[in-house]
Amino acid sequence: MRWTYSCPHCNAMLNPDETVVLIGRQGNARALIGFHPQPGNYRAYMPPGVQLEEGSLWEFHCPVCQDSLTTGQAPGLCALDLHTEDETQRVFFSRRVGEQATFVITAEGVTERHGKDQDKHSLELLELI
């Protein structure tokens, strides 16, 4: 299956190959970070010398328009648009390093939940649907 992601603000495609590329910021650290496109796969590709401290909270931004991907309704989550063969969905994922929580939402509601930490966002998730 091919997953294509775009920014919910400017609609720019964020994975020209198989890696979703976002700007990550935490304190003084700033880097382009690659993520595996499959919802629920938590593999991240870091530039040399960039460390992700377990439990740290990162901000993610679109590398094209630089808008924040943090959601107002769920500040612990970021959002991207996911385009598959037949539909567009919104994907929400945790901003906290090591926390595994991903949600795929359509107009009908939550269609997929991934990760061992998804229950930590149950109240935030109610705000999204």
Side-chain angles (χ1 to χ4, degrees):
M1 170 179 257
R2 171 81 173 141
W3 297 281
T4 303
Y5 287 85
S6 66
C7 172
H9 305 291
C10 72
N11 296 315
M13 186 174 65
L14 300 176
N15 57 323
D17 62 8
E18 289 301 315
T19 304
V20 180
V21 179
L22 302 177
I23 296 172
R25 294 181 183 158
Q26 200 271 327
N28 292 330
R30 183 176 173 173
L32 286 175
I33 302 173
F35 295 93
H36 194 284
Q38 181 181 13
N41 185 326
Y42 296 99
R43 170 110 182 169
Y45 305 93
M46 304 300 298
V50 175
Q51 299 293 320
L52 295 178
E53 183 180 326
E54 190 76 17
S56 61
L57 193 62
W58 280 68
E59 295 179 32
F60 293 103
H61 299 264
C62 172
V64 177
C65 71
Q66 307 229 351
D67 275 354
S68 174
L69 299 171
T70 302
T71 63
Q73 311 97 311
L77 302 173
C78 286
L80 295 174
D81 287 338
L82 168 61
H83 311 278
T84 57
E85 292 87 20
D86 53 346
E87 67 181 325
T88 298
Q89 305 164 352
R90 177 91 15 122
V91 175
F92 294 88
F93 60 96
S94 174
R95 299 172 46 214
R96 191 166 303 282
V97 175
E99 190 171 87
Q100 296 181 355
T102 305
F103 308 94
V104 180
I105 298 179
T106 65
E108 289 78 39
V110 178
T111 59
E112 296 178 39
R113 296 169 188 256
H114 301 278
K116 63 180 176 51
D117 300 307
Q118 60 184 275
D119 291 342
K120 293 180 180 180
H121 296 278
S122 57
L123 292 179
E124 287 180 309
L125 193 58
L126 290 174
E127 295 292 321
L128 300 173
I129 51 178

